[in-house]
Amino acid sequence: MSSRLIVHAYFHMPAGAQPDLYQQLLALAEGLTPRVQAIPPDAAHLDITGALRYFDRDPEGIAALLRMRTLALHGVQTTCAIAPTRMLATMAAATTPPGGTTVIEAGNVQAWLRPRPVAALHGVGPATATKLRSYGLHTIGDLADAPLPALTRIFGAATGRSLHAHAHGHDLRTVQPQPIAKSMSTERDFDHDVLDPVEHRRALLAVAEELGGRLRDEQQIAGQLALTIRYADRSTSSRSRTLPEPTAHTRPLAGAAYELYDLLGLQRARVRTITLRAQDLRPAAEAAEQLSLDPTNDRALAVEAVTDRARARYGPGTIRPATLAGAGTRPAPGRTMLLPGRPDPKETTS
């Protein structure tokens, strides 16, 4: 078990809080330790291993100092959980009363972890939890006792090993004090006014593919998506929504973009620019490792991984969905491969 001490701090942001309040709270946390990793929009991880000696306090004393400062200086109540790993600290914070502090010592990890339901384990989504229960694995202790070869046969090598390690309380992630962009956007400018909804939707797929690639390159995931349409008269329309699960994968990003486009209800609109913006960004390591029971989705993820490798080696546009062929997108110089795409059901050609 790691000898580090990690605090998961959850800030209870007041309604109508100033946009920079979160940054101020992070700066306050950095006054206790330089190793602070932002988890937008209202949490952070703090590695307080070195702060114990500096402030001559125990872990609970450091958490009390953080809670006192956030409340006294900003009027923000803070919930803290302290554990040897980021995963355990995050899980403990979810069960800590508002404004309280939970401390999990290294010697008590298994006693705390084993009785909890498998759905509470980091990286276990609803589908994975359902499948685990179907095999009689209802608690994290049940999962920890399951043979690793059995888990890899059921869930695959990577997911099986991850579940096995997490069930034993292992998490190798460290606190990374790196700045995280607040948003990321990509746009498609048309050379002329475009009225055809089919061309609009092709552009949406193109910007979603580019945005997803950039997110994966930066190892970030988006919690919200915003679509902005600029018309020939320079006026704009915008829609945004929170994604069901934070993601950087092209398929769910494109699906959400199509839904936002449909909400605009455009009828023969003269479109000049389509902009797709990813918001509420957070580290990709915070994404749940959701088990997919859809073979089509598995194939899409496999193709996406190949596309990412090709893009990294040969440049953007090396591999594109066949739906974008002839759509005016400009692939990188050199050889271009077209993969069979699954156009959105509403895409039709005349």
Side-chain angles (χ1 to χ4, degrees):
M1 187 60 63
S2 171
S3 60
R4 311 301 294 181
L5 281 172
I6 311 299
V7 176
H8 181 100
Y10 172 69
F11 306 115
H12 298 266
M13 308 289 280
Q18 294 296 320
D20 63 342
L21 177 58
Y22 179 61
Q23 292 297 329
Q24 294 179 33
L25 294 171
L26 292 178
L28 189 151
E30 289 169 355
L32 298 176
T33 172
R35 300 194 64 81
V36 176
Q37 179 172 335
I39 308 175
D42 51 18
H45 279 143
L46 292 72
D47 187 333
I48 62 169
T49 308
L52 302 179
R53 183 174 181 181
Y54 183 85
F55 287 97
D56 192 23
R57 291 171 179 257
D58 61 12
E60 195 165 1
I62 297 294
L65 189 57
L66 175 64
R67 290 168 48 205
M68 180 185 67
R69 290 184 177 183
T70 59
L71 187 60
L73 297 177
H74 300 287
V76 174
Q77 190 179 56
T78 302
T79 298
C80 295
I82 306 168
T85 68
R86 287 177 52 189
M87 179 193 75
L88 292 169
T90 302
M91 292 176 60
T95 63
T96 302
T101 297
T102 297
V103 180
I104 302 176
E105 298 179 354
N108 296 329
V109 167
Q110 291 302 315
W112 184 87
L113 192 61
R114 288 181 63 86
R116 302 192 175 276
V118 289
L121 188 64
H122 172 75
V124 175
T128 306
T130 299
K131 191 163 187 177
L132 285 168
R133 289 192 292 265
S134 72
Y135 282 92
L137 305 177
H138 298 277
T139 68
I140 296 176
D142 294 336
L143 179 58
D145 294 337
L148 177 58
L151 294 177
T152 56
R153 282 198 303 270
I154 297 170
F155 297 99
T159 301
R161 286 194 297 267
S162 176
L163 289 171
H164 187 262
H166 290 168
H168 285 85
H170 302 310
D171 179 14
L172 299 179
R173 296 174 302 159
T174 59
V175 175
Q176 300 292 331
Q178 57 189 8
I180 299 177
K182 295 181 179 179
S183 64
M184 183 184 296
S185 66
T186 185
E187 67 180 30
R188 169 73 158 86
D189 289 313
F190 294 106
D191 296 330
H192 57 278
D193 300 343
V194 175
L195 288 77
D196 187 357
V198 173
E199 291 300 320
H200 297 167
R201 302 180 78 85
R202 285 176 176 165
L204 287 171
L205 177 59
V207 294
E209 184 180 41
E210 180 181 344
L211 186 61
R214 290 177 58 193
L215 286 168
R216 295 191 296 276
D217 290 344
E218 297 292 332
Q219 296 185 353
Q220 297 186 36
I221 53 177
Q224 295 179 339
L225 204 63
L227 174 67
T228 300
I229 306 291
R230 183 165 64 86
Y231 307 105
D233 62 359
R234 298 183 181 275
S235 64
T236 62
S237 296
S238 299
R239 292 291 186 275
S240 64
R241 69 168 39 182
T242 299
L243 299 174
E245 291 182 353
T247 186
H249 296 302
T250 297
R251 191 179 184 187
L253 290 175
Y258 289 146
E259 293 174 1
L260 291 171
Y261 175 84
D262 291 339
L263 289 175
L264 292 173
L266 303 183
Q267 295 182 356
R268 297 193 60 79
R270 303 172 69 87
V271 174
R272 293 303 300 268
T273 304
I274 292 178
T275 302
L276 194 62
R277 180 179 298 276
Q279 302 177 148
D280 185 17
L281 302 189
R282 60 194 72 178
E286 303 300 324
E289 300 172 8
Q290 177 63 279
L291 175 69
S292 173
L293 302 180
D294 182 358
T296 302
N297 188 58
D298 290 340
R299 287 194 295 269
L301 294 177
V303 170
E304 184 178 270
V306 173
T307 303
D308 287 345
R309 291 195 293 270
R311 185 182 67 252
R313 183 168 184 178
Y314 300 110
T318 305
I319 301 178
R320 297 180 297 158
T323 309
L324 299 180
T329 54
R330 297 181 179 179
R335 188 175 179 182
T336 298
M337 299 175 61
L338 297 180
L339 296 179
R342 292 188 62 198
D344 187 81
K346 297 181 181 178
E347 286 189 1
T348 56
T349 55
S350 55

